[in-house]
Amino acid sequence: IDQSADELPNLASPEMNGVGAMEICVSVAEGVCDFISAMDTPRIQEWNMWYHLLNCGFPLKVSGETDFPCMSGSRVGQGRVYVQLDNSHTLDFEEWCDGLAKGRSYVSDGYAHALEFQVNDHRPGFDDVSLAKPGTVKISSKVLFAPETPLSVAQGTIAPPGGKRYIGDTVTFHGPPTSSSESGGTRLVEIVVNGIPVASKTVPVDGNIHSLDFEVAIDQSSWIALRHFPQMHTNPVNIIVDEKPIRASGKSALWCIETIKQLWRVRENKIAEDERADARAAFDRAIQTYQKIAAEASVPAQAN
C-alpha cells in the first residue's frame, strides 16, 4: 500500500478503516449511488476509487464537497461543483440538480476551471460518442486558472511532508496556516482515458481562457475526462465502440472485490446483528457483479 499510495491510479487495496466512500463499491453495484463526492480529501484516494468504478462501466458522476466543518475546518467552498445549464442567464435549482445528476459538470477548488470539454462535439452528461470500430476522437476544451492561487496542500501548491498521497487534503493541517498566495506559473492539463493520462498540455496561470485541442486513439469502449491534478476534474464522456459496454480493466473489477472483502473484515462486527445477514447478502451480490465484470473485461485479470 505504501509503495502505491503516491500513484494514480493504483491497485493497492485500501485499509477501509476511515471515513468517506467506504461502502461505495457495494452501493454502486446495487444501483443506489449516483455520484461520489470529491475535492476535500487526499486527491489520489478520491480519484482512484472513482476511476476503478468507471473502469467497470458504472455511470458514476463526481461532485464537489466541503463537508464543513466535519471534514474540512478551513472554510465552506473548499470543494466545488460547477454545473452547465441550458440558460446561462438565470439559475433554476431544479435544472441545476438535473444537470448534477447527469454529470453535466466539473469539480474544482474554485481556482481552476474547465469551461468547456467536448469529445467529438459531445459534452459530459449528454449523449455518448458511438464508434462502429476503434478510431480517433477529437477533443476540444477551454480552461482557465486564477492568476493567484493560495499556498496550501489543498491546492497542491505546497508539498505535504507525507508525500503526493496527501495532496488535495483539507482534513489535516499539514503545517501552520498561511494566507499567502502564489502568482503566475503553469498548470499541466491532462486528458485521461480509463484513468490513464494519454495527452497533456501546459497552460499559463494568468486568469485567461485557453483553448486546447487533442486527438486520442480509442481501441475499446472507454471513458474520457479532462483534469488538472489536484485542482480540477471534469465528468467523463463515454466512448462506446461496437455497441459494447465499458469494461476497461478486469484488474479494476478485482480491486473492487478486494476492497469489499476488506471492508467486510473491518465493518462486520459493527453492523447491527439483526441487519448483518442482509448486509452480507448485499456484499456478496456486489462481489458477484464485479466477478462478472472482470470476466467480461477485454483482458480479464486473475485473482491472487
Side-chain angles (χ1 to χ4, degrees):
I1 291 173
D2 184 66
Q3 290 177 343
S4 299
D6 291 334
E7 300 176 5
L8 178 68
N10 68 71
L11 291 168
S13 297
E15 297 179 17
M16 303 305 288
N17 60 355
V19 296
M22 295 294 103
E23 291 83 9
I24 194 168
C25 288
V26 177
S27 58
V28 166
E30 290 282 278
V32 294
C33 183
D34 296 315
F35 61 84
I36 183 172
S37 293
M39 307 304 295
D40 67 339
T41 54
R43 205 69 71 239
I44 288 177
Q45 295 177 27
E46 293 177 346
W47 293 358
N48 191 59
M49 176 73 77
W50 184 39
Y51 286 1
H52 286 309
L53 290 166
L54 289 177
N55 282 350
C56 291
F58 292 109
L60 188 67
K61 311 307 179 186
V62 67
S63 182
E65 179 184 23
T66 299
D67 199 358
F68 176 87
C70 177
M71 296 294 288
S72 175
S74 298
R75 61 181 177 86
V76 174
Q78 191 75 56
R80 307 180 180 199
V81 58
Y82 294 83
V83 179
Q84 181 173 357
L85 304 180
D86 291 334
N87 184 346
S88 61
H89 300 292
T90 60
L91 175 61
D92 182 271
F93 185 63
E94 184 174 349
E95 182 188 357
W96 189 91
C97 289
D98 182 63
L100 177 68
K102 292 177 178 175
R104 298 174 178 177
S105 54
Y106 65 92
V107 292
S108 167
D109 61 5
Y111 296 91
H113 297 279
L115 303 176
E116 183 178 301
F117 172 63
Q118 298 185 74
V119 182
N120 283 9
D121 297 324
H122 290 65
R123 294 173 291 176
F126 290 84
D127 296 330
D128 296 338
V129 174
S130 295
L131 298 179
K133 60 182 180 179
T136 300
V137 296
K138 294 183 178 181
I139 300 168
S140 61
S141 64
K142 293 181 180 180
V143 300
L144 178 151
F145 293 90
E148 292 189 5
T149 309
L151 286 172
S152 72
V153 169
Q155 272 69 47
T157 49
I158 291 180
K164 187 178 179 180
R165 69 195 66 181
Y166 294 112
I167 291 177
D169 180 30
T170 69
V171 180
T172 305
F173 292 106
H174 297 272
T178 175
S179 58
S180 300
S181 298
E182 69 171 16
S183 300
T186 59
R187 298 286 186 267
L188 183 69
V189 177
E190 299 175 299
I191 298 299
V192 181
V193 176
N194 301 332
I196 306 299
V198 298
S200 64
K201 293 185 179 181
T202 300
V203 177
V205 178
D206 56 9
N208 295 319
I209 296 174
H210 296 273
S211 297
L212 305 177
D213 295 318
F214 303 88
E215 290 191 2
V216 173
I218 300 295
D219 60 3
Q220 64 175 326
S221 293
S222 304
W223 59 270
I224 301 182
L226 178 147
R227 79 179 185 196
H228 163 66
F229 181 90
Q231 291 185 270
M232 171 263 291
H233 208 302
T234 71
N235 268 297
V237 172
N238 291 336
I239 313 299
I240 305 303
V241 179
D242 192 25
E243 300 183 350
K244 295 179 180 179
I246 294 175
R247 296 291 185 265
S249 172
K251 291 182 178 180
S252 285
L254 293 180
W255 182 90
C256 291
I257 291 173
E258 294 306 316
T259 296
I260 293 171
K261 290 180 178 178
Q262 173 62 12
L263 179 64
W264 184 259
R265 286 190 284 267
V266 172
R267 291 286 176 90
E268 176 184 4
N269 293 331
K270 298 179 182 179
I271 300 173
E273 188 172 352
D274 60 345
E275 297 177 353
R276 202 169 296 161
D278 287 341
R280 180 70 259 182
F283 276 52
D284 287 343
R285 285 194 300 272
I287 288 172
Q288 292 170 4
T289 296
Y290 292 110
Q291 287 173 336
K292 183 175 183 293
I293 290 171
E296 294 171 349
S298 58
V299 185
Q302 298 298 318
N304 293 331

